[in-house]
Amino acid sequence: MPKYHVVSFYQIEKILDHERLGRDVTRYATKNSLLGTFFSTPQGVNTTMSGSREALEGLIQLLESKFNLSVFNPKWSASEDRPFKRLRVRLKPRLLPLEGEFDPILKRGKHLEATEWNALISDPDTVVIDVRNDYETDIGTFKNSIIPNMKDFTEFPRFIDKGTVKDKKKKIAMFCTGGIRCEIASSFMINRGFEEVYQLKGGVLNYLENVDDDKNLWEGECFVFDERVSLDKSLNQGKYVQCFGCRRPLSENDLKSEYYRKGVSCSYCYGVSSDSDKERFAQRQKQIELAELRGHEHIGARAKQKK
């Protein structure tokens, strides 16, 4: 049996009192020893949390029974190591910080099941867009995808405004890790006049869970926002570790760089972070290592790192 269960889900739906929902989730999660991040907004909820299967299922039941949310396609996985170190319940004005005159509650792209996805992206007339950030796309994507090379999702409007996709009648197929960014991005594109926008239901994680290996068109690994860092095509923990300085996933070759210092920097951020940042990260790493020697877990420890 896995040591830790992990569930990810979101729901786009109007919430009249998202502050009350956040308080109730905080109380429930604290009482039931759930860790992870939960976002509560007037547009809906988004979360990845870990704990016992029973407690996580209870959280879903709470949202459905008390707040009348129909939780959309929860994605389950497991981890031998603790995926999160703390609980964060955050209140936000919107699900994702993308500006524009569009409303994902009213209109967004058509969902495609994982089993329908292959046919769409194999059509040469389809424009396939990976709406994730650059450090995610670097370690895995679908073949022939357009990569916006975004440092942050807020850059998506700029990518569209550049006119990379000029024909607004083209079939657009977009995907992301769990599906929520596509809900927002597809609504944005429809608002900009794109006529036929599709999105991968449940994102890459749902695709990997439901498509057999011999039909699986995913290439590489999938970045996840917890301490597993990445998952392979079988949803097992991948081979990447994470730089504390910039949060990028690092390969074995990246760890050989002269700029890599465990818990401090890597080749991607060494020239960007200040000397004071590096010193602060180094002191933090020293405290983590001292805590490990004493047999304790440092509360600030984040990503899986090379031993």
Side-chain angles (χ1 to χ4, degrees):
M1 293 293 291
K3 193 171 181 181
Y4 299 99
H5 291 271
V6 183
V7 69
S8 299
F9 61 83
Y10 68 87
Q11 179 63 28
I12 295 180
E13 194 169 324
K14 187 175 182 179
I15 296 177
L16 296 178
D17 192 347
H18 72 290
E19 294 182 1
R20 178 189 172 203
L21 188 150
R23 290 194 299 269
D24 284 2
V25 168
T26 299
R27 283 194 293 267
Y28 179 89
T30 302
K31 180 179 178 181
N32 291 277
S33 302
L34 299 183
L35 302 177
T37 302
F38 189 101
F39 293 95
S40 179
T41 82
Q43 295 178 326
V45 300
N46 181 30
T47 184
T48 301
M49 302 190 81
S50 67
S52 72
R53 178 85 183 212
E54 180 181 9
L56 292 169
E57 289 177 343
L59 174 64
I60 294 174
Q61 291 170 5
L62 170 70
L63 295 173
E64 292 180 333
S65 62
K66 191 167 184 178
F67 295 95
N68 297 317
L69 292 179
S70 300
V71 172
F72 173 78
N73 190 32
K75 292 171 285 295
W76 295 91
S77 56
S79 176
E80 289 301 315
D81 300 316
R82 181 180 293 177
F84 299 99
K85 294 294 190 295
R86 65 189 71 187
L87 171 68
R88 294 193 306 161
V89 178
R90 304 184 66 182
L91 304 177
K92 294 280 190 177
R94 59 182 66 197
L95 278 168
L96 291 174
L98 196 65
E99 299 294 335
E101 297 299 322
F102 64 96
D103 189 345
I105 295 177
L106 298 178
K107 187 175 291 186
R108 50 190 187 271
K110 180 182 178 181
H111 291 118
L112 278 189
E113 298 288 347
T115 52
E116 304 173 284
W117 180 252
N118 285 357
L120 179 64
I121 67 172
S122 298
D123 183 343
D125 290 329
T126 299
V127 177
V128 185
I129 303 177
D130 188 335
V131 300
R132 300 171 305 148
N133 297 334
D134 56 5
Y135 57 86
E136 301 171 79
T137 61
D138 282 349
I139 69 172
T141 191
F142 286 106
K143 187 177 180 180
N144 297 327
S145 299
I146 294 177
I147 308 296
N149 291 317
M150 300 181 294
K151 301 294 182 186
D152 186 86
F153 184 56
T154 55
E155 298 175 18
F156 186 73
R158 190 184 314 160
F159 161 72
I160 296 300
D161 290 341
K162 285 193 305 184
T164 304
V165 185
K166 294 181 173 62
D167 187 352
K168 294 188 176 182
K169 293 184 178 181
K170 279 270 191 181
K171 288 183 291 187
I172 306 296
M174 57 175 54
F175 65 92
C176 54
T177 307
I180 190 167
R181 270 179 283 185
C182 289
E183 303 279 18
I184 309 302
S186 68
S187 181
F188 177 88
M189 291 191 73
I190 291 171
N191 181 260
R192 289 295 179 94
F194 290 88
E195 298 178 5
E196 198 170 354
V197 183
Y198 299 88
Q199 58 193 83
L200 178 58
K201 183 178 179 180
V204 178
L205 296 180
N206 186 55
Y207 178 90
L208 296 179
E209 182 179 356
N210 289 285
V211 177
D212 295 334
D213 285 347
D214 61 335
K215 298 178 181 178
N216 193 315
L217 300 182
W218 182 256
E219 298 180 342
E221 295 190 3
C222 180
F223 181 88
V224 288
F225 292 89
D226 60 56
E227 304 210 2
R228 294 170 297 175
V229 183
S230 67
L231 300 178
D232 63 20
K233 293 173 73 169
S234 299
L235 293 179
N236 296 315
Q237 186 166 324
K239 64 179 181 291
Y240 288 84
V241 302
Q242 196 171 34
C243 172
F244 175 79
C246 64
R247 304 302 187 200
R248 273 187 172 270
L250 305 177
S251 66
E252 290 185 6
N253 283 336
D254 290 329
L255 299 180
K256 296 175 183 176
S257 167
E258 62 179 308
Y259 300 110
Y260 174 71
R261 289 181 59 194
K262 182 179 176 181
V264 179
S265 65
C266 69
S267 59
Y268 298 102
C269 66
Y270 184 86
V272 178
S273 60
S274 65
D275 290 341
S276 61
D277 283 338
K278 293 185 182 69
E279 178 60 28
R280 179 162 51 87
F281 297 158
Q283 290 299 320
R284 174 190 170 280
Q285 182 62 27
K286 181 178 179 180
Q287 293 302 315
I288 291 173
E289 293 172 357
L290 289 173
E292 289 174 347
L293 286 174
R294 295 192 296 266
H296 301 297
E297 183 174 50
H298 188 272
I299 189 64
R302 291 281 300 172
K304 175 184 68 171
Q305 297 184 32
K306 187 180 179 184
K307 302 298 184 184

